[in-house]
Amino acid sequence: MFDPGIGLSEVYMVAGMALVTFGIRYIMFPLSGRFRFPNLFARGLRYVPPVVLSAIIVPSVLMPDGQALNLKLSNPYLIGALAACVIGGLFKNLLLTIVVSMAVFLGVQWCFALG
Amino acid sequence: MSQSVTHFSQGRLSMFFEGAKDTFPLIVGAIPFGIIFGTLAATAGISFGATIGLSMFVFAGASQFVCVGLVAAGTAWPMIVLTTFVVNLRHMLYGATMVPFYKNLNPLWKIVLSFGLTDETFAVAVSRYSRRDGALDKHYYNLGSMVFMYLNWNLCTIIGLTAGKAFPEISQWGLDFAMPATFIGIVIPYLVSKPMWASVLTAGTVSIMASGLPHKLGLMVAALAGVAAGLAWELFVSVKKEVVQDV
């Protein structure tokens, strides 16, 4: 299974990333008995998942090349995201949202690849 | 073998599979994402072993993609580890959110469940924990979500690695839209109150304005601005009866 071609710096990279990521996810549990979060902080935490995900979504949709805003209707990421918002808002069904918006995205991308 | 033991284990097993089932839509979204990761990693020059190692031991999609981009640009490993720290810092808030729910679990459970606190499993598990139905063993629900997510992510990585060798042009298909599509589907159910709308719209706007910041710091800035906007709306604009409901 393991490629003998894996380099030493790759081992450091994977190990470092794994330790850092696990540390971030775990650190609050051993700390939690020692102090209490202020009430405002605890209330703020409820906003974290939608807010973080939005901050990932918006640039990836409006700046697909990572450089410039692309608000044109020829931007398949934008059209796909609008489709996801409409379907998600109407039906509140995650699987349907993903499948339909992926289809819209690939359709738009295919159309503009042809034209 | 008493009856109660059987009863408990059945309850736990059904919780485990309920968690896996509720994560299914997110799994569907993660499939192209994982395949693309495997494909891109191979084309960026990351070895087979290191690519599998990333999915097995790091298990954090966004930072794995950033890692591929940095390796392709010839970045040294300490910088990649530092960037991973910044990109994944949001997971510290996920951990903080789970503290009250994991309070009575033993350390091994905490280690296993916190290893699996991805965006997807966090979103699914926190909404199950927050449902006040008195159900026991919600950690088995969380575990089911995590295990299903983990197996799928690693399987897709291997498929992507294999496919990337066979069809190098697969990375041009734009299947990376699966990530925003999935995340939009996760965010929409949260949008039930004005403070929540304010926080999400603020985060989206700031994420564009701060996108030029190095090392993906724009993500953290946008997230903090969004949380601040939600709290500010809650405190200064909303009247008492309009206080946000837990999702």
Side-chain angles (χ1 to χ4, degrees):
Chain A
M1 204 64 187
F2 289 99
D3 189 341
I6 183 167
L8 195 57
S9 66
E10 281 187 326
V11 173
Y12 291 143
M13 179 186 79
V14 173
M17 287 177 69
L19 283 173
V20 156
T21 305
F22 175 74
I24 289 167
R25 288 172 178 170
Y26 183 67
I27 188 71
M28 285 302 176
F29 298 101
L31 285 182
S32 64
R34 316 265 162 89
F35 70 101
R36 285 192 57 191
F37 285 124
N39 183 33
L40 195 64
F41 183 83
R43 285 164 76 179
L45 285 178
R46 289 177 308 180
Y47 293 99
V48 170
V51 153
V52 169
L53 296 179
S54 304
I56 296 174
I57 295 164
V58 175
S60 70
V61 165
L62 299 184
M63 308 165 79
D65 64 352
Q67 305 287 323
L69 269 180
N70 181 351
L71 302 175
K72 298 194 193 104
L73 290 178
S74 58
N75 174 1
Y77 293 87
L78 177 59
I79 305 301
L82 291 176
C85 292
V86 171
I87 302 292
L90 283 178
F91 300 104
K92 304 263 191 286
N93 181 322
L94 187 53
L95 189 55
L96 190 72
T97 305
I98 294 169
V99 171
V100 173
S101 64
M102 280 293 289
V104 169
F105 168 80
L106 291 172
V108 172
Q109 200 182 44
W110 185 68
C111 285
F112 282 98
L114 289 181
Chain B
M1 278 295 173
S2 70
Q3 272 189 322
S4 67
V5 170
T6 321
H7 174 75
F8 263 117
S9 64
Q10 274 175 352
R12 286 171 173 178
L13 200 62
S14 72
M15 281 304 261
F16 181 89
F17 284 112
E18 190 191 325
K21 197 189 81 194
D22 289 353
T23 314
F24 181 73
L26 303 171
I27 302 261
V28 173
I31 286 172
F33 198 30
I35 293 177
I36 288 290
F37 167 71
T39 322
L40 290 179
T43 50
I46 302 179
S47 72
F48 198 89
T51 306
I52 291 178
L54 285 172
S55 286
M56 273 180 73
F57 302 119
V58 183
F59 189 37
S63 62
Q64 289 180 226
F65 270 85
V66 172
C67 166
V68 169
L70 293 177
V71 169
T75 313
W77 71 266
M79 193 61 217
I80 298 177
V81 172
L82 188 67
T83 308
T84 302
F85 178 78
V86 174
V87 171
N88 289 341
L89 203 53
R90 67 186 187 281
H91 290 156
M92 199 181 278
L93 295 165
Y94 294 178
T97 307
M98 290 316 224
V99 163
F101 301 129
Y102 294 175
K103 195 174 54 192
N104 297 321
L105 298 176
N106 68 37
L108 182 64
W109 268 103
K110 287 180 185 168
I111 288 171
V112 170
L113 293 184
S114 57
F115 171 77
L117 270 186
T118 56
D119 296 307
E120 289 86 353
T121 290
F122 171 72
V124 169
V126 82
S127 76
R128 186 69 186 88
Y129 272 114
S130 306
R131 209 185 308 155
R132 292 190 185 86
D133 58 353
L136 294 167
D137 300 325
K138 287 180 182 174
H139 50 297
Y140 279 89
Y141 178 96
N142 189 337
L143 184 70
S145 167
M146 169 196 160
V147 167
F148 202 30
M149 203 67 211
Y150 184 75
L151 293 178
N152 176 66
W153 182 245
N154 280 278
L155 180 66
C156 290
T157 302
I158 293 170
I159 292 172
L161 272 169
T162 318
K165 290 228 164 88
F167 314 101
E169 72 277 16
I170 204 172
S171 59
Q172 306 297 315
W173 290 1
L175 293 180
D176 48 336
F177 179 70
M179 181 183 69
T182 308
F183 287 178
I184 289 171
I186 296 176
V187 168
I188 283 174
Y190 281 97
L191 299 173
V192 291
S193 68
K194 284 177 185 169
M196 209 46 109
W197 274 101
S199 70
V200 163
L201 292 176
T202 303
T205 310
V206 174
S207 72
I208 290 291
M209 298 192 311
S211 65
L213 293 176
H215 313 311
K216 298 273 170 188
L217 275 170
L219 177 67
M220 296 304 292
V221 173
L224 287 174
V227 171
L231 284 176
W233 195 290
E234 206 179 306
L235 293 173
F236 303 121
V237 183
S238 293
V239 287
K240 283 233 165 91
K241 62 184 173 188
E242 215 181 60
V243 167
V244 226
Q245 301 296 307
D246 281 29
V247 177

